[in-house]
Amino acid sequence: MTWVACILVTLSVIASPATELAHANPSLHLALDAVDMCIALLVAYLLHNRFARRHRLQDWLLCVALVIFGLAGLVVTTVIEEVMGIRDGRLNVWLPLALRVIGAVLILVAALVGDRPGPGRLRYWSVAAPVLLILVVGAVLWALDDSLPVAVPPDRAAEVFDRSFAGHPLLLAGLALSAACFLIASLIVTRQAARSNDELLRWLAPASAVAGFARVNYLLYPTLYTDWLYTGDLLRTAGYALLLVGGLRELRVYWGAQAHVAVIEDRRRLARELHDGLLQELTYIRVASSMLPEDTPTKGEITDAAVRALDEARAAVNSLGSLDDEPLGFVLHRAARELAERYDVDFQVDVDDSIIADADQRHALMRIVREAVVNAVRHGGARTICVRLSQLGDTQRLTIEDDGAGFAVHASGGAGGYGLVSMRTRAKDLPGTLRIDSTPGEGTIVTVTW
């Protein structure tokens, strides 16, 4: 889409008289250069931090390229023209052009290296490397200043609108090379972003495309090196604006990930606290209640209450300590294994691992399984329990079947005790439905559909 839009803009520029779209506005030109520099350095800083975290060579190369672009656009030009007073169309044009060509080549190289790792010590050179490069290239061109050709005569800058491809052939070759690097990189990065779901790369691709077509427009009319403002300048700033959007989305993803990590760490801390405190105390209560004399009236109730509390506490610890991205099948297998060991029953688990559920759904389904198993063992005396997870079209189904004593579901209007009410509520919140089929002496089947 970006390519199509830029091609249409470029064709309209070719078809229109150039002088109608051009404006001699040094102040606005300077303002756009300042905006471009700020965006380039901001995104370079984000890429520097990405490299420090991930150690991917692509991030470092992009960081160096953007630092070069940021400094070449405003700082270098200002130093040469305002501080050194050089405005003869030689050094003040060739040095920024050379730096921009190097930056474009680095963008292409970064696209080609992909996610290859890079040495961590490179992060100390994220600023030093581009600054040294600028000094070296500047020193070489300064030494060759007398032999450098005039790229765009400053006193005849308006003549660039009298014909296309105005300017020295080397200037046009540098712009053509930069355009090719940006356009090829945009295609490569587009494929990489589709594979990796990387927000910054997703916006770097159209930004590179716009930057490439900006160089194509500069080929037609090289206003970048004059006080004139033209479509190439607007496209260049539009490319930086797209890059800014990518940088802001990268910040959102980063802080979202930080918040997610903080939540996980807090959950694990709570799980440790529960395990080391509450579970130990409940275990003591269960052991102590089992040692009460047999004629104690409330011995059974106390023991059962301690066992239920232990089961709930263990479920809470497992839920807090688990990862949010665990597959549903893994969660059910783990719950079945723990329950089989605790109640000494035979578990049969048959799950479709392709079924996807979010964190809340996984937790609700796991609690339904635990409640159904506990009821089957304690009240029905079940010795074999089968858990099945299947999918038919867009409908998912979880079935818990036991060989226990069963009960008369319709005798109480299907409502049952608090455990059954809790299971129905959790199923409703999926959103879904829960069905219980049971006959005294023939076991129970609990079916959850969502």
Side-chain angles (χ1 to χ4, degrees):
M1 291 176 62
T2 305
W3 272 63
V4 171
C6 290
I7 289 174
L8 293 176
V9 170
T10 304
L11 291 177
S12 66
V13 167
I14 296 174
S16 302
T19 53
E20 294 183 0
L21 301 176
H23 298 279
N25 194 329
S27 299
L28 186 55
H29 213 296
L30 181 64
L32 291 182
D33 285 341
V35 170
D36 296 346
M37 181 192 69
C38 293
I39 295 176
L41 296 181
L42 170 63
V43 179
Y45 175 73
L46 297 179
L47 287 164
H48 168 76
N49 288 316
R50 285 210 340 171
F51 177 76
R53 298 194 310 269
R54 309 191 311 177
H55 298 292
R56 292 184 181 177
L57 187 58
Q58 183 182 66
D59 294 332
W60 187 79
L61 290 171
L62 291 173
C63 173
V64 172
L66 288 175
V67 172
I68 291 175
F69 283 128
L71 296 180
L74 183 64
V75 176
V76 172
T77 302
T78 301
V79 170
I80 295 175
E81 295 183 352
E82 303 299 333
V83 177
M84 301 175 64
I86 300 176
R87 294 174 174 268
D88 57 0
R90 290 186 172 88
L91 184 63
N92 63 316
V93 174
W94 292 118
L95 179 55
L97 173 66
L99 295 176
R100 289 188 174 103
V101 171
I102 293 173
V105 172
L106 287 176
I107 293 289
L108 178 57
V109 173
L112 292 173
V113 300
D115 57 356
R116 290 184 178 88
R121 61 180 178 274
L122 282 177
R123 67 180 182 273
Y124 300 114
W125 291 89
S126 298
V127 176
V131 170
L132 289 175
L133 181 63
I134 291 173
L135 293 176
V136 170
V137 175
V140 172
L141 293 180
W142 173 266
L144 300 174
D145 185 46
D146 293 336
S147 59
L148 290 176
V150 176
V152 179
D155 56 342
R156 293 184 297 161
E159 294 181 6
V160 300
F161 302 107
D162 294 335
R163 57 187 178 88
S164 298
F165 302 104
H168 194 275
L170 284 178
L171 173 66
L172 302 180
L175 291 171
L177 177 59
S178 299
C181 290
F182 275 116
L183 294 176
I184 296 173
S186 71
L187 299 177
I188 298 174
V189 173
T190 297
R191 298 187 63 181
Q192 293 175 353
R195 291 196 305 266
S196 63
N197 197 28
D198 189 312
E199 283 290 343
L200 187 55
L201 290 183
R202 181 176 292 144
W203 288 90
L204 176 64
S208 297
V210 175
F213 279 99
R215 270 64 182 180
V216 172
N217 279 260
Y218 286 138
L219 269 173
L220 300 175
Y221 305 105
T223 57
L224 178 63
Y225 307 100
T226 69
D227 290 334
W228 286 78
L229 193 69
Y230 200 52
T231 52
D233 305 284
L234 300 179
L235 286 174
R236 178 169 56 97
T237 301
Y240 280 108
L242 290 173
L243 197 60
L244 177 62
V245 174
L248 294 177
R249 293 182 70 88
E250 169 74 7
L251 281 174
R252 189 185 70 173
V253 170
Y254 172 76
W255 287 114
Q258 291 295 102
H260 181 68
V261 169
V263 169
I264 290 177
E265 290 299 322
D266 197 47
R267 288 174 55 178
R268 288 175 175 171
R269 181 186 62 80
L270 290 173
R272 290 193 298 268
E273 295 295 331
L274 286 174
H275 181 272
D276 296 339
L278 181 60
L279 279 176
Q280 303 300 327
E281 296 298 325
L282 290 174
T283 301
Y284 170 77
I285 294 174
R286 187 191 65 178
V287 173
S289 64
S290 64
M291 298 175 62
L292 292 173
E294 293 296 333
D295 58 351
T296 302
T298 58
K299 176 182 178 179
E301 289 81 355
I302 295 175
T303 302
D304 288 344
V307 170
R308 289 194 299 271
L310 269 173
D311 187 70
E312 291 294 322
R314 288 193 181 100
V317 169
N318 289 332
S319 177
L320 288 170
S322 64
L323 299 177
D324 285 342
D325 57 353
E326 288 181 336
L328 177 58
F330 178 80
V331 173
L332 296 179
H333 271 289
R334 183 180 61 194
R337 183 175 62 251
E338 294 174 354
L339 293 169
E341 294 175 355
R342 186 175 310 150
Y343 296 111
D344 192 23
V345 295
D346 180 23
F347 250 98
Q348 300 175 7
V349 181
D350 180 16
V351 299
D352 183 353
D353 290 326
S354 65
I355 296 177
I356 300 176
D358 59 34
D360 292 335
Q361 289 177 328
R362 290 194 298 270
H363 178 69
L365 293 170
M366 186 268 293
R367 294 305 300 267
I368 290 174
V369 170
R370 298 180 76 94
E371 184 66 33
V373 170
V374 170
N375 288 339
V377 173
R378 289 183 185 159
H379 305 300
R383 304 307 306 163
T384 301
I385 299 175
C386 181
V387 177
R388 296 186 182 90
L389 178 65
S390 59
Q391 182 170 350
L392 181 61
D394 295 333
T395 302
Q396 293 82 32
R397 179 173 297 166
L398 173 66
T399 303
I400 307 103
E401 182 177 358
D402 67 74
D403 63 351
F407 65 100
V409 178
H410 301 290
S412 59
Y418 178 76
L420 298 183
V421 173
S422 174
M423 287 195 295
R424 292 184 190 278
T425 302
R426 293 184 186 278
K428 183 179 179 181
D429 292 338
L430 285 173
T433 59
L434 182 138
R435 176 180 175 181
I436 300 176
D437 298 302
S438 182
T439 302
E442 298 183 5
T444 302
I445 301 177
V446 178
T447 304
V448 182
T449 306
W450 74 101

